[in-house]
Amino acid sequence: MTRSRYFVQNWRRLSILSLIISLAWLQLHFPIVALDFDLWYHLLGGSYILNNHALPDTAFFSYLKLNPGGWVDYYWLFQIIVESVYRLGGFAALVILRSALYLATVWMLYAYLRDAEDVDDDGVYVFILTLSCIYALALVPRDLILRPHIITYLFIVVYHFIVDKRPQWRWVLPVLALVWTNVHGVEYPVLLLVGGAYLAEFFVPKLLRRPVPEVARLLRWPLILSLYAILVTPAGFSLLVKPFSPPLFHERVVNELMPREIGTFLLFSFNMGGNFVETSGNVLVVFLVGAVAALGWMRRLRVSRIVLFAGGLFLLPQSRRFSYEFILLCLPLAGDVVGLLAERRPRAISWKTALAACMIVVAASVWCLADFMGHRQRFPVDLARLPVGVCDFLMKEGPGGRIFNVPNPGGYLEWRLYPKYKIFMDMQTMLFSSFDLFTGITGFGDKELLRRTIAQYETGFLAVDIQDKGFGKRIEGIGHFQPVFFDDALVLYADADRYPDLVARFKLTALDPFTCVTENYEGMDAGKREAMLAECRRMQAVSPDGLIVDTVVAKILLAKGETGEAAKVAVRLMEIYPNRYMGYALAGLAAFKEERYADALARNQEALARAMPGERPLVVRNLYATYARLKEFGKAYETLSSVINPMSTSSSFTDLYDLGMAAVAAGKAREGKLLLTMAQAKASDKDVEKSKEIASLLGMMQEVPD
């Protein structure tokens, strides 16, 4: 067979393989990221089970009492799986596990849709591949998080495939159900919905005294056994109430549990890139609603599809997480649409046209996914948002004890600190009372609640969100708590009465953890600057990889004129946090001070590409200054004007002065004259010298028309 003939006959296989290989490459290069902190409490749970050969029946990592319902560890098997994989190969092995589960789900989605094609039609295949790509993109935001739901999604699709496409494998269904229920027991209503929907195709005809399809007869007992599998868990009947008895108000705290308005499913972004990943789920929701309407109109709607759609539609507005269950529960509707298209045989297209269309679809999907994943991150685990430094400090220097912590990073804290320390709580909200969740979420923001909580539980450490800039004032007068360490997520306070030696050695007196990044080190007293540097060095000795601490060190070194040393810190930050802007921005500042303006420009452009919206103004100002030194005044003006709105009330005298001077230098005399006039109107007593400069310049520009 010639190569050309082989290609003609196998181009479909090559197109789907190109998609799977591309998705695999992206997934396997994306590290474990703390999009939430649940993975770490699953790892600790798995470790507890493997070490003790028993399931936990108490919150062993916490000093709180369990809620009255007790602990039903309904994801015990998942915890054993992830802990076993972690012991085998660390976080890299977990990346492989996560990627394999996602890719298996995408492949089974494609296999289900492809198997629905009854005729050899290239146009229908383009539709199948396009639909598979949209499903692949829609699942990414959830399947990048290694949690039990990732197995639930795979099993929903496998169930559809076996029942609809491979009924000869029917006795696999009870085995899958048994594994599924023990991996993610709280999702058992979804298993009942899937099994019940397909059993309806046996029982509804019998009730109506109509012929029962032969395949429904074959599937009856395997499906019935699958439904009973929900009782074959360590929890037994206790599991049955768990999905229907959540703690009060926890949906107000956990974003994925918040209900969704119907209108949110009609929001779309068809811009190429990561935005389409966010909206692809809505595309599928609308498509599937249209599919059920069309199939119903044509009287092609099977009983199982009606049940699956009705159940999915009930779940859909309940919370954000159920959007994914909906699009997977309704996969058979998509398959029926594919079958209908194949049956009606749309206008034939040549294989070359179909191949070109498929390659465009695959390339666009990969582009969208790559843009959504963002810049390269540290592999195999991204340290951003993880309280690594605080945990390092507590394990190396702390004596053990109780920690009152903000709940969100609790999963990581317990994984690193148990059994030496016990924390207040993590985000396993089913374990703790609603009042405990209320205390953990609001306790750091209310002085009286904070005082009562510390007194009640006799906590010796406080792990405070580093974004809580008012906490320093709030803790005054409550015991004798002092800040002793901080990292990029948390500030650690220790009680000087309980741990006098620790506080004496590590109390932070020069550094304010909440504001140290934004300090003006150039204009600071040299003595204070040296004291702050000494405290940073002390923290680096305990935990050397902190973004905030290293940033402060680099800024102090730049202020002292030690640009070479600052550049070394910047390089280190770019290695540890390759997707964060700060290392690149610091490298740009070091190059700027050494008058290497081309290098400064390149580094600042890299920083800008990685900066979050709130971080962009600082980087843009650095770019503006660099363009000005390179005498590229037009680019300098355009760059600065991208972040300064002269008509905004927040625009300061300095903003308008810099923008006006940039406009003048760029040859935009009319804009410059107006901007400088606006700046002069906002000048205060401290701006006398610059006001004189403006007056002189405006005098020379009198000939320029307004």
Side-chain angles (χ1 to χ4, degrees):
M1 182 183 296
T2 65
R3 289 184 179 180
S4 60
R5 183 167 179 75
Y6 176 85
F7 189 77
V8 170
Q9 293 182 357
N10 292 277
W11 68 267
R12 296 185 185 182
R13 186 177 302 169
L14 294 171
S15 64
I16 184 60
L17 285 177
S18 66
L19 174 66
I20 295 297
I21 291 170
S22 299
L23 294 178
W25 190 89
L26 290 172
Q27 275 274 344
L28 289 169
H29 282 78
F30 192 81
I32 298 296
V33 177
L35 300 173
D36 63 31
F37 298 88
D38 292 11
L39 170 62
W40 286 274
Y41 69 61
H42 286 305
L43 289 171
L44 180 63
S47 178
Y48 180 95
I49 295 168
L50 292 174
N51 292 340
N52 294 280
H53 306 291
L55 300 186
D57 56 7
T58 183
F60 57 92
F61 55 86
S62 170
Y63 49 83
L64 294 178
K65 294 181 180 179
L66 288 179
N67 67 30
W71 189 341
V72 175
D73 191 356
Y74 49 74
Y75 30 49
W76 68 274
L77 183 55
F78 176 80
Q79 293 178 328
I80 289 177
I81 291 170
V82 292
E83 174 62 15
S84 299
V85 170
Y86 178 76
R87 292 183 179 187
L88 183 66
F91 286 107
L94 292 176
V95 170
I96 294 172
L97 173 64
R98 182 200 65 199
S99 303
L101 291 169
Y102 169 74
L103 293 169
T105 305
V106 173
W107 177 261
M108 291 306 302
L109 282 162
Y110 165 78
Y112 183 95
L113 295 171
R114 180 202 61 200
D115 211 65
E117 183 186 1
D118 297 326
V119 296
D120 187 21
D121 190 287
D122 292 335
V124 174
Y125 183 79
V126 173
F127 180 75
I128 290 171
L129 188 65
T130 301
L131 205 51
S132 300
C133 287
I134 297 174
Y135 263 105
L137 294 179
L139 291 175
V140 161
R142 285 281 282 172
D143 274 7
L144 286 178
I145 306 171
L146 187 53
R147 283 170 48 187
H149 66 259
I150 198 171
I151 297 178
T152 286
Y153 297 164
L154 173 60
F155 278 19
I156 291 174
V157 180
V158 171
Y159 252 75
H160 289 322
F161 184 80
I162 291 175
V163 171
D164 275 343
K165 311 301 177 185
R166 299 293 187 274
Q168 63 270 29
W169 300 351
R170 58 192 178 276
W171 290 108
V172 175
L173 294 176
V175 178
L176 286 175
L178 187 62
V179 174
W180 184 357
T181 304
N182 285 278
V183 163
H184 199 191
V186 78
E187 283 272 306
Y188 81 80
V190 174
L191 169 59
L192 294 183
L193 175 60
V194 175
Y198 288 115
L199 278 173
E201 301 209 325
F202 174 84
F203 287 106
V204 169
K206 285 188 73 69
L207 289 172
L208 298 177
R209 297 187 179 183
R210 294 178 180 175
V212 177
E214 181 60 27
V215 69
R217 293 181 182 276
L218 291 173
L219 290 166
R220 175 181 50 166
W221 286 111
L223 287 170
I224 290 174
L225 285 176
S226 297
L227 302 188
Y228 279 104
I230 68 171
L231 300 177
V232 189
T233 74
F237 288 96
S238 300
L239 177 65
L240 301 183
V241 300
K242 281 299 175 183
F244 308 105
S245 57
L248 291 174
F249 304 131
H250 75 158
E251 75 282 357
R252 304 287 185 93
V253 175
V254 183
N255 285 336
E256 67 182 38
L257 298 179
M258 291 183 178
R260 294 188 66 180
E261 298 290 337
I262 296 299
T264 61
F265 296 104
L266 302 176
L267 300 176
F268 304 100
S269 174
F270 293 103
N271 296 327
M272 289 304 296
N275 286 339
F276 184 69
V277 173
E278 299 283 5
T279 198
S280 54
N282 286 359
V283 171
L284 287 172
V285 168
V286 172
F287 166 74
L288 292 166
V289 170
V292 77
L295 291 167
W297 177 263
M298 301 173 71
R299 298 186 178 181
R300 299 285 293 267
L301 201 55
R302 290 169 50 182
V303 172
S304 61
R305 279 46 169 173
I306 296 173
V307 176
L308 289 168
F309 180 78
L313 198 62
F314 172 77
L315 293 174
L316 187 59
Q318 302 297 321
S319 70
R320 292 179 60 187
R321 66 164 55 167
F322 286 134
S323 303
Y324 301 92
E325 277 84 349
F326 175 84
I327 62 176
L328 293 172
L329 286 169
C330 295
L331 175 65
L333 291 168
D336 290 348
V337 170
V338 170
L340 186 62
L341 287 175
E343 178 186 312
R344 302 252 169 152
R345 293 192 59 80
R347 181 182 297 180
I349 60 175
S350 70
W351 73 269
K352 292 182 179 180
T353 302
L355 172 61
C358 286
M359 289 299 99
I360 290 172
V361 169
V362 169
S365 300
V366 173
W367 181 18
C368 289
L369 184 54
D371 185 68
F372 176 79
M373 290 181 168
H375 292 278
R376 178 180 63 88
Q377 294 166 301
R378 191 189 194 198
F379 192 87
V381 58
D382 180 24
L383 299 182
R385 299 183 67 235
L386 292 174
V388 176
V390 164
C391 290
D392 288 345
F393 175 82
L394 285 167
M395 293 304 290
K396 292 177 182 178
E397 304 293 344
R402 291 184 171 189
I403 304 169
F404 180 40
N405 63 289
V406 286
N408 195 39
Y412 185 83
L413 291 174
E414 69 194 58
W415 179 69
R416 286 289 311 277
L417 302 177
Y418 177 81
K420 188 175 182 180
Y421 296 87
K422 287 196 173 184
I423 67 168
F424 184 74
M425 69 178 297
D426 59 15
M427 290 303 291
Q428 294 182 88
T429 57
M430 300 286 269
L431 297 183
F432 304 101
S433 70
S434 294
F435 184 79
D436 290 334
L437 183 60
F438 161 78
T439 302
I441 296 296
T442 67
F444 290 92
D446 184 274
K447 189 160 188 170
E448 290 308 315
L449 181 56
L450 180 64
R451 186 195 309 276
R452 292 189 182 103
T453 303
I454 292 171
Q456 178 181 356
Y457 296 108
E458 300 180 339
T459 52
F461 294 98
L462 307 177
V464 186
D465 189 336
I466 199 166
Q467 301 298 322
D468 187 0
K469 299 188 184 303
F471 185 80
K473 292 288 186 183
R474 215 172 295 128
I475 193 62
E476 290 178 359
I478 302 178
H480 294 91
F481 284 90
Q482 300 294 335
V484 293
F485 205 90
F486 65 91
D487 56 25
D488 307 325
L490 298 175
V491 180
L492 183 69
Y493 282 75
D495 187 350
D497 292 337
R498 284 188 175 88
Y499 310 113
D501 293 340
L502 183 75
V503 173
R505 291 168 56 206
F506 294 101
K507 178 183 176 182
L508 300 174
T509 56
L511 282 169
D512 182 340
F514 301 103
T515 62
C516 58
V517 171
T518 57
E519 292 276 5
N520 178 16
Y521 293 100
E522 298 282 350
M524 184 180 290
D525 175 76
K528 181 179 179 182
R529 199 164 55 198
E530 288 300 322
M532 296 174 79
L533 181 60
E535 290 185 351
C536 286
R537 294 298 193 194
R538 191 174 68 205
M539 287 192 288
Q540 284 180 317
V542 175
S543 184
D545 294 338
L547 175 62
I548 292 178
V549 173
D550 285 1
T551 297
V552 172
V553 169
K555 287 188 171 186
I556 292 174
L557 292 172
L558 287 170
K560 294 172 63 177
E562 298 177 19
T563 54
E565 292 302 310
K568 291 179 183 178
V569 177
V571 169
R572 173 74 174 151
L573 288 177
M574 287 188 284
E575 292 173 353
I576 303 172
Y577 302 96
N579 62 319
R580 302 294 293 272
Y581 88 101
M582 189 56 78
Y584 302 90
L586 291 169
L589 284 171
F592 185 89
K593 282 181 171 288
E594 294 176 353
E595 299 183 359
R596 295 184 288 109
Y597 300 122
D599 291 341
L601 179 63
R603 288 304 188 191
N604 279 309
Q605 287 173 333
E606 290 177 297
L608 188 63
R610 292 162 172 78
M612 300 294 286
E615 300 164 341
R616 288 177 61 85
L618 176 63
V619 183
V620 167
R621 283 191 172 278
N622 293 341
L623 272 173
Y624 151 73
T626 307
Y627 278 127
R629 291 300 177 93
L630 290 169
K631 300 189 184 304
E632 296 184 29
F633 299 115
K635 289 184 178 179
Y637 174 66
E638 291 175 7
T639 300
L640 194 57
S641 63
S642 69
V643 293
I644 295 177
N645 177 5
M647 306 304 287
S648 171
T649 56
S650 62
S651 295
S652 66
F653 166 82
T654 301
D655 291 335
L656 296 170
Y657 170 82
D658 289 343
L659 194 57
M661 296 300 286
V664 172
K668 299 180 180 293
R670 185 166 176 247
E671 291 93 326
K673 181 181 177 182
L674 176 58
L675 288 165
L676 291 173
T677 303
M678 294 162 71
Q680 198 171 41
K682 284 195 171 186
S684 64
D685 293 341
K686 64 181 181 180
D687 304 315
V688 173
E689 293 301 321
K690 286 185 177 180
S691 294
K692 290 179 180 179
E693 186 181 350
I694 291 173
S696 175
L697 189 55
L698 289 175
M700 292 186 289
M701 297 174 67
Q702 288 181 351
E703 301 300 322
V704 179
D706 291 331

